[in-house]
Structures are given as structure tokens and as C-alpha cells.
Amino acid sequence: MRKKIAAGNWKMNNTKAEAEALAKAISAVEIPEDTEVILGVPFVFLSAVKEITAGSKVQVAAQNCHQEESGAYTGEISAPMLTSIDIDYVILGHSERREYFGEDNALLAAKVDAALKAGLKVIFCCGEPLNIREEETHVSYVKKQLQEGLFHLSEAALDDIIIAYEPIWAIGTGVTASKEQAQDMHKEIRDMIAANYGATAAGKMHILYGGSVKPGNATELFGQEDVDGGLVGGASLKAADFTAIIQA
Ligand code: PEP
């Protein structure tokens, strides 16, 4: 039985005081039994948020890591650094990292390996831009992202992976995929896992939807059979909105 997951992605937002206040508010939320809550936090606030959330059910994610363990990579953060401060997850392959920082599937495969080796769990993002959706080639587009970024892993390694399907045309735009569009694509992704790893692995995989999730649409999106929760950007910055999404 898969649990429901509400993951927030704060991106490059919040001052220290705002980050701490938000972490405190979310730590105080009564989280349903079968639900996991993850906060995707800027590097500089990870330790503070980890401390604030200690003792609550809230897990903490970094938003990126480097593919090497250490070395002369000025300004970068490695996966072992993150586990050394007890970070639980890392978000990899977000469309903003792919677009603005040139992260391709091969690099992401190396980052996934580095994260898992260090003991992090990975939220792996995939999703197509608008022109690909309009051409109706989104299924093969996402399949290539997963095949090249993720499907080199062993079946056992998949236990530490969450997939987030985030159609780029829905991220930060206020346009949400319909519940049918979300369900169809999540089913396609689950079928891809089944084709590569078998039905058991596919049945266990948590697949989150991301793209303008709000309190008003979370219930119907999360109610779809293959939607196991959400990766939430803008609405995770407001305690009241993210609380409502957790409860949905
Ligand atoms: C995201 O960036 O992962 C995201 C889904 O953003 P938003 O919820 O703001 O669309």
C-alpha cells in the first residue's frame, strides 16, 4: 500500500526568519497517519530546518547536489555533505535545473547514483514542455528522461526513489493538468516501471504530480489512482495553503 506524500519545493525563496517560521508552522501540523511531508529547502537553511522539524514527521530535502563526493568544485554541495547533516532527500532533475543549469539525463543519472550512494533518497523530476504536449509526444519524452536518468538503477535501489511528474507548462503558471491528464501520465509512468522492473516495483513506486497544485485542486488530483501526492512550489511557501494540501 503506497502512502501519500506532500512535498514542498521552496526554490530560491525565504529569508532565514521566514524559513524558520514556515518550518515551525508545518512541523506543528497534524499529519495524517498514511502521509509523509517533505520540505525542499535552500542549502543555507537546511540545518536550521532540520533542527526545527526534529521530533515531527516532517522530512527535509535539498534541492540539488553535485555528482562528485568532494573536490575542487567551488560553490557546489555534495551528497555526503547533505547526509552528514542528516538530510533525508534530494530533489534531482527539476525542470528549472534542466533548463537554467543545463542538467541533462546523463548528468542526472550520475547525480542519482551519488545521492543514493551517500544514503539520500531522491525525488526525481520529469515532465514535458508545452510544445511536446501539443505535439502529443509527451509519453515518449518522459520515457526517455526516465530511461536515461533512472532506469539504470537496480530494482532494490528504486525503493529510495520517488518520481515527480511535473509538466513544465503547469509549473508556476497557474495552469494545472486536469485530473485525467495527471492520471493518464502517471499510469503511463507506472507502466514504464512495470515494463523495466515488473509489476511489484511498479506497484510500490510513489509518483507525485507537480504543477500549480493548490488547496483547491489537491483533493481531486491526489484522489486519482496513480497519483500518490504532490510536489508543490508556490503553494508550499504559505503555511495555510501547504497545510491544506497536506490534509488533502
Ligand atoms: C515546482 O516547481 O516543483 C512546482 C510544481 O511549482 P508550482 O507548484 O509553483 O507550480
Side-chain angles (χ1 to χ4, degrees), residues 7-10 22 26 39 213 232-239 241-242 245:
N9 176 13
W10 292 357
L22 189 50
I26 300 304
L39 299 179
V213 175
V232 185
S236 74
L237 295 170
K238 294 187 197 116
D241 285 0
F242 196 52
I245 290 168

Side-chain angles (χ1 to χ4, degrees), residues 96-172:
E96 289 151 15
R97 301 275 339 156
R98 292 175 187 264
E99 183 179 350
Y100 305 137
F101 301 94
E103 298 195 0
D104 61 15
N105 294 334
L107 175 65
L108 291 168
K111 289 191 176 204
V112 168
D113 291 343
L116 294 179
K117 185 171 176 212
L120 290 165
K121 290 179 267 185
V122 173
I123 300 175
F124 186 86
C125 304
C126 58
E128 78 286 353
L130 184 59
N131 65 314
I132 296 291
R133 169 63 66 160
E134 285 172 346
E135 280 171 16
E136 297 181 3
T137 53
H138 47 286
V139 173
S140 58
Y141 186 94
V142 168
K143 188 174 186 181
K144 186 169 157 64
Q145 290 179 320
L146 295 178
Q147 236 149 15
E148 295 179 1
L150 213 53
F151 288 171
H152 63 288
L153 296 176
S154 67
E155 185 181 340
L158 286 191
D159 286 347
D160 289 327
I161 303 286
I162 294 170
I163 293 174
Y165 168 62
E166 301 204 300
I168 298 170
W169 45 271
I171 295 179

Side-chain angles (χ1 to χ4, degrees), residues 3-7 35-38 89 162 206 208 222 228-230:
K3 60 193 168 200
K4 291 285 183 192
I5 300 172
T35 302
E36 181 169 342
V37 173
I38 305 168
Y89 282 94
I162 294 170
H206 291 90
L208 311 184
F222 300 171
D228 302 310

